[in-house]
């Protein structure tokens, strides 16, 4: 590690959709990275070494992080991370569970609270509520005191009800636009036709927030609603707040599959084809 960096012994690294899309070359124009590239930027582990200028962390600290996308990631035994990008891991959960948090947790937190400014008593519709971002969004919205409507497939109906969703819609048997009235906030994690059909269920001056594409300003204006894109940004304080919610038992990371590093290929197959409820995590130790 350089002066302001730490060396982390990786215990677990989560697999995210951005991983396989990067591997497949779909995101080559989005940011500047060079090949070969180690994937995996959701990391939980223990600090092995600290740079000379690092004072807020010490060797032996259990930490978690959303590492820098432009640098090598966590599908490895060790990773070097800028000290400003790490937070102490939640104490009540394992490294495998902690690795499932940063990217999806920050994405949901920033979309609902920073962009949509979700308030207690408001109604939020979450598309893909059983997905990697949706699971956190449901729990954050309930923590805030909002009423949650979620779309999912039939296999996840009971799961979402148990998670706290007030009204679950099976998109295989029902069209959400025929059922849902006016919502204050709509979180779109799906895009495409789901995005297109979402405008009509948002109340006037409500907001559509997409974490997968840029909404049309024209469509927003026609429907008298607001629209925004929320791209995840690293935020140390938000990870600290999320850790506090986890340790207080108000938020539970959901891990669907745990695989060894040697089976990263299988992990990519699963996430690419949507074969997971919650997160897929590679366990290094």
């Amino acid at each position: 590690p350089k002066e302001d960096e730490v060396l982390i012994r990786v215990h677990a690294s989560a697999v995210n959709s951005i991983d396989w899309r990067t591997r497949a070359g779909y995101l080559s124009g989005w940011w500047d990275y060079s090949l070969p590239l180690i994937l995996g930027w959701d990391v939980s582990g223990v600090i092995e070494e600290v740079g000379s200028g690092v004072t807020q962390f010490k060797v032996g600290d259990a930490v978690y992080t959303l590492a820098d996308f432009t640098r090598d990631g966590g599908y490895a035994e060790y990773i070097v991370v800028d000290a400003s990008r790490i937070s102490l891991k939640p104490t009540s959960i394992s490294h495998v569970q902690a690795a499932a948090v940063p990217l999806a947790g920050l994405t949901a937190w920033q979309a609902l609270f920073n962009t949509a400014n979700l308030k207690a008593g408001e109604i939020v519709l979450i598309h893909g509520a059983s997905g990697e971002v949706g699971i956190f969004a449901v729990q954050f919205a309930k923590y805030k005191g909002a009423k949650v409507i979620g779309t999912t497939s039939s296999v996840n109906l009971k799961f979402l009800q148990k998670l706290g969703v007030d009204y679950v819609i099976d998109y295989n048997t029902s069209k959400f636009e025929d059922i849902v009235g006016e919502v204050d906030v709509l979180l779109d994690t799906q895009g495409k036709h789901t995005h297109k059909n979402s405008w009509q269920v948002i109340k006037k001056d409500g907001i559509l927030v997409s974490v997968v594409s840029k909404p049309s300003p024209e469509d927003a204006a026609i429907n008298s609603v607001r629209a925004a894109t929320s791209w995840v940004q690293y935020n140390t304080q938000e990870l600290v707040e999320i850790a506090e919610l986890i340790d207080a038992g108000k938020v539970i990371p959901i891990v669907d599959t745990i695989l060894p590093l040697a089976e990263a290929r299988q992990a990519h197959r699963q996430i690419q084809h949507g074969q997971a409820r919650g997160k897929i995590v590679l366990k290094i130790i």
Side-chain angles (χ1 to χ4, degrees), residues 20 96 203 254:
W20 78 259
V96 166
K203 66 172 54 175
I254 305 297

PDB file of all heavy atoms in Angstrom, residues 20 96 203 254:
ATOM      1  N   TRP A  20     -20.182  -9.038 -14.570  1.00  0.00           N
ATOM      2  CA  TRP A  20     -20.274  -9.793 -15.827  1.00  0.00           C
ATOM      3  C   TRP A  20     -20.402  -8.862 -17.026  1.00  0.00           C
ATOM      4  O   TRP A  20     -19.900  -9.184 -18.115  1.00  0.00           O
ATOM      5  CB  TRP A  20     -21.403 -10.822 -15.772  1.00  0.00           C
ATOM      6  CG  TRP A  20     -22.812 -10.340 -15.953  1.00  0.00           C
ATOM      7  CD1 TRP A  20     -23.735 -10.117 -14.988  1.00  0.00           C
ATOM      8  CD2 TRP A  20     -23.471 -10.057 -17.205  1.00  0.00           C
ATOM      9  NE1 TRP A  20     -24.928  -9.704 -15.528  1.00  0.00           N
ATOM     10  CE2 TRP A  20     -24.797  -9.664 -16.892  1.00  0.00           C
ATOM     11  CE3 TRP A  20     -23.085 -10.106 -18.547  1.00  0.00           C
ATOM     12  CZ2 TRP A  20     -25.723  -9.320 -17.872  1.00  0.00           C
ATOM     13  CZ3 TRP A  20     -24.013  -9.753 -19.522  1.00  0.00           C
ATOM     14  CH2 TRP A  20     -25.314  -9.362 -19.185  1.00  0.00           C
ATOM     15  N   VAL A  96     -18.910 -12.885   4.600  1.00  0.00           N
ATOM     16  CA  VAL A  96     -19.708 -13.226   3.410  1.00  0.00           C
ATOM     17  C   VAL A  96     -20.926 -12.313   3.323  1.00  0.00           C
ATOM     18  O   VAL A  96     -21.239 -11.775   2.252  1.00  0.00           O
ATOM     19  CB  VAL A  96     -20.137 -14.704   3.456  1.00  0.00           C
ATOM     20  CG1 VAL A  96     -21.230 -14.985   2.427  1.00  0.00           C
ATOM     21  CG2 VAL A  96     -18.937 -15.614   3.201  1.00  0.00           C
ATOM     22  N   LYS A 203     -47.709   9.720  -9.189  1.00  0.00           N
ATOM     23  CA  LYS A 203     -48.561  10.885  -8.976  1.00  0.00           C
ATOM     24  C   LYS A 203     -47.876  12.154  -9.482  1.00  0.00           C
ATOM     25  O   LYS A 203     -46.649  12.200  -9.623  1.00  0.00           O
ATOM     26  CB  LYS A 203     -48.934  11.033  -7.504  1.00  0.00           C
ATOM     27  CG  LYS A 203     -47.786  11.350  -6.574  1.00  0.00           C
ATOM     28  CD  LYS A 203     -48.272  11.687  -5.156  1.00  0.00           C
ATOM     29  CE  LYS A 203     -49.156  10.612  -4.572  1.00  0.00           C
ATOM     30  NZ  LYS A 203     -49.519  10.906  -3.148  1.00  0.00           N
ATOM     31  N   ILE A 254     -29.103 -10.343   2.305  1.00  0.00           N
ATOM     32  CA  ILE A 254     -29.581 -11.653   1.857  1.00  0.00           C
ATOM     33  C   ILE A 254     -28.575 -12.240   0.880  1.00  0.00           C
ATOM     34  O   ILE A 254     -28.333 -11.678  -0.191  1.00  0.00           O
ATOM     35  CB  ILE A 254     -30.957 -11.548   1.178  1.00  0.00           C
ATOM     36  CG1 ILE A 254     -31.965 -10.867   2.105  1.00  0.00           C
ATOM     37  CG2 ILE A 254     -31.448 -12.940   0.765  1.00  0.00           C
ATOM     38  CD1 ILE A 254     -32.266 -11.607   3.377  1.00  0.00           C
TER      39      ILE A 254
END
